[in-house]
Amino acid sequence: MPREARYRAIARELADRIRSGDLAPGSRLPTEPELAEHYGVHRLTARQAMVELRTGGLVETRHGSGSYVRALRRRYEVSVDPETRLHPPAVIDDIAARLSGGEEIRSAALRQDPVVAGRLGLPDAEVFEVATLLRMEGVPCVASRYALPPRLADLTVEPTEGVLGALRRLGLDHRYRSHTVSADLAGPEDQELLGSEPGAAVLVREGLLVADEEPLCQVVRRCRGDLVAFTTRYE
Amino acid sequence: MPREARYRAIARELADRIRSGDLAPGSRLPTEPELAEHYGVHRLTARQAMVELRTGGLVETRHGSGSYVRALRRRYEVSVDPETRLHPPAVIDDIAARLSGGEEIRSAALRQDPVVAGRLGLPDAEVFEVATLLRMEGVPCVASRYALPPRLADLTVEPTEGVLGALRRLGLDHRYRSHTVSADLAGPEDQELLGSEPGAAVLVREGLLVADEEPLCQVVRRCRGDLVAFTTRYE
DNA sequence: AAGTGGTCTAGACCACTCC
DNA sequence: GAGTGGTCTAGACCACTTC
């Protein structure tokens, strides 16, 4: 049994102090030189302990300022209707109240994607893709990509109604045919859109919507794992 | 705009080669000394590029052997009944066929937990906690914790039926009252139970089961994000 | 300007894998 | 035993934040 690495022991000790509450959320940890001095190691060794805490999600580091215990984030618990998997109207109002600016359209363009086009039952490879971003109280939380048939390329979306709302306004009464949840790590795109740390957890929800039994829309949502949870309540 | 860090550029170049298929899943990447030589940097700089790829989930490293492009993980798509959120019988049989050893009981003990006890409507803080592990084809996939009223502490569970099956066998016809999904990072416990890498993504499903409108069981499942996805199909 | 974290080089020894 | 990744020290310079 090899003895525990020095940096790992330091990380464990700090992690224990965080979990015990000795180091409170938001408070600043000792600097790297301080840790190195205190434990009698080189700065890089102390630094590696901090890397350990960062990838574990316990700590966040601000360049030039210091490392801080991550605040316990309040999670946005979003209710979902058990039958339809859509948000009940009451919830939509509730969400809207916390939303700043509604569902922001980031881009909308025709794109070649044979796989998704096939899923939508389209004759060609072309799909109309809309990328949106949802913020809760200003914080980016959910990045969505909707793939639609090209005939809907002139779709206009009011921020307050969202893409699915716009479809409904056109008389397309959709519901989910299938719905998948999984977990992934934040890639470069998530970091850019959601402001996730590299290597943070992302909750992925993927669904295929149908209207009149016809495939209408594939939606993929990537949600910040540290901020969002989806709850289904059954009465 | 500061120029891009050397290690980051190297990581990006390797990541592109992986995504383009130039470096196939399962194949070995150049060694750290080779990369250092090739890019004209110190070994630690090349090494940091590998760290980048590891925390991004693209690469896994085996001590003494090398770093390898992570295999495209086949995902276990587990179907869930839309109404009950439980697995339909056909799926249970399907899962059972892939399970090795069924739901393995890791521990079962009485524990003090006022919060969970309150959720179950228990007069005291005591709950009976059962921890289990599910493997798919030998690979640990889902670690569950069931919290039950102490009166069920003599529950016996056949591996093939699972904890929920055992409850049903006792005539407790349960269903979900609420069900939450979220994403988290792998902690030490996940690493031990699920064999997750530090910092890997974990899909968390949490539910409260009721029987005859009485709270019966709180279950928390932590699933390997890279191996498991849950799909609901609506007919 | 002083202090913080971010990057990089140089060189060393150790633990593990594979032959 | 040769080669791989894992850990550690030493020292340097840069970029950012704070004052």
Side-chain angles (χ1 to χ4, degrees), chain A residues 2 19 55 78 103 107-108 112 123 141 147 170 174 178 182 185 215 226 229:
Chain A
R19 276 187 279 264
T55 61
V78 181
E103 189 171 19
S107 70
Q112 302 294 317
C141 272
L170 294 180
H174 52 261
S178 70
S182 56
L185 288 176
D226 55 346

Side-chain angles (χ1 to χ4, degrees), chain A residues 78-87 119 142 144 146 164 174-182 203-210 217-223 229-232 234, chain B residues 76-83 85 87 179-182 203 205 228-235:
Chain A
V78 181
S79 289
V80 182
D81 183 86
E83 264 181 54
T84 62
R85 304 257 85 200
L86 297 166
H87 305 306
R119 232 171 264 165
V142 181
S144 304
Y146 302 84
L164 295 190
H174 52 261
R175 59 181 194 83
Y176 277 111
R177 170 168 290 171
S178 70
H179 185 275
T180 299
V181 292
S182 56
L203 180 66
V204 185
R205 303 175 63 208
E206 198 168 343
L208 184 67
L209 289 158
V210 292
C217 173
Q218 178 191 263
V219 54
V220 180
R221 302 189 197 278
R222 298 181 68 86
C223 319
F230 291 92
T231 300
T232 318
Y234 304 86
Chain B
Y76 296 104
E77 292 259 343
V78 181
S79 289
V80 182
D81 182 86
E83 264 181 55
R85 303 257 84 198
H87 305 306
H179 185 275
T180 299
V181 292
S182 57
L203 180 67
R205 304 173 64 208
V228 184
F230 290 91
T231 301
T232 318
R233 282 176 221 292
Y234 304 85
E235 294 315 322

Side-chain angles (χ1 to χ4, degrees), chain B residues 177-213:
Chain B
R177 168 167 293 170
S178 70
H179 185 275
T180 299
V181 292
S182 57
D184 194 7
L185 288 176
E189 206 172 333
D190 299 309
Q191 290 166 42
E192 196 187 318
L193 275 176
L194 299 174
S196 297
E197 303 265 324
V202 174
L203 180 67
V204 185
R205 304 173 64 208
E206 197 166 343
L208 184 67
L209 289 157
V210 293
D212 295 327
E213 305 304 315

Side-chain angles (χ1 to χ4, degrees), chain B residues 30-189:
Chain B
T31 68
E32 290 175 2
E34 278 166 4
L35 286 173
E37 159 90 65
H38 179 270
Y39 289 100
V41 296
H42 187 77
R43 186 191 139 206
L44 277 193
T45 305
R47 179 174 172 73
Q48 194 155 357
M50 302 304 284
V51 170
E52 196 85 342
L53 296 175
R54 263 203 299 279
T55 60
L58 278 178
V59 155
E60 74 185 331
T61 298
R62 293 199 277 277
H63 189 177
S65 165
S67 287
Y68 301 80
V69 180
R70 283 189 84 156
L72 290 179
R73 351 121 257 203
R74 181 181 24 160
R75 279 203 132 122
Y76 296 104
E77 292 259 343
V78 181
S79 289
V80 182
D81 182 86
E83 264 181 55
T84 61
R85 303 257 84 198
L86 297 166
H87 305 306
V91 172
I92 297 209
D93 292 345
D94 179 40
I95 295 174
R98 292 188 298 193
L99 284 180
S100 20
E103 188 171 18
E104 174 193 338
I105 309 288
R106 305 277 304 186
S107 69
L110 291 170
R111 216 166 60 78
Q112 301 295 316
D113 191 329
V115 177
V116 176
R119 232 171 265 165
L120 292 175
L122 298 173
D124 302 320
E126 200 172 53
V127 297
F128 178 53
E129 189 180 74
V130 182
T132 71
L133 185 63
L134 224 70
R135 299 170 196 268
M136 296 282 199
E137 291 160 7
V139 183
C141 273
V142 180
S144 305
R145 281 184 186 281
Y146 302 84
L148 297 159
R151 67 170 189 277
L152 292 171
D154 58 353
L155 184 75
T156 59
V157 181
E158 305 293 326
T160 50
E161 63 181 358
V163 173
L164 296 189
L167 291 174
R168 183 157 290 128
R169 178 164 49 76
L170 294 179
L172 294 162
D173 191 27
H174 53 261
R175 60 182 193 82
Y176 277 110
R177 168 167 293 170
S178 70
H179 185 275
T180 299
V181 292
S182 57
D184 194 7
L185 288 176
E189 206 172 333

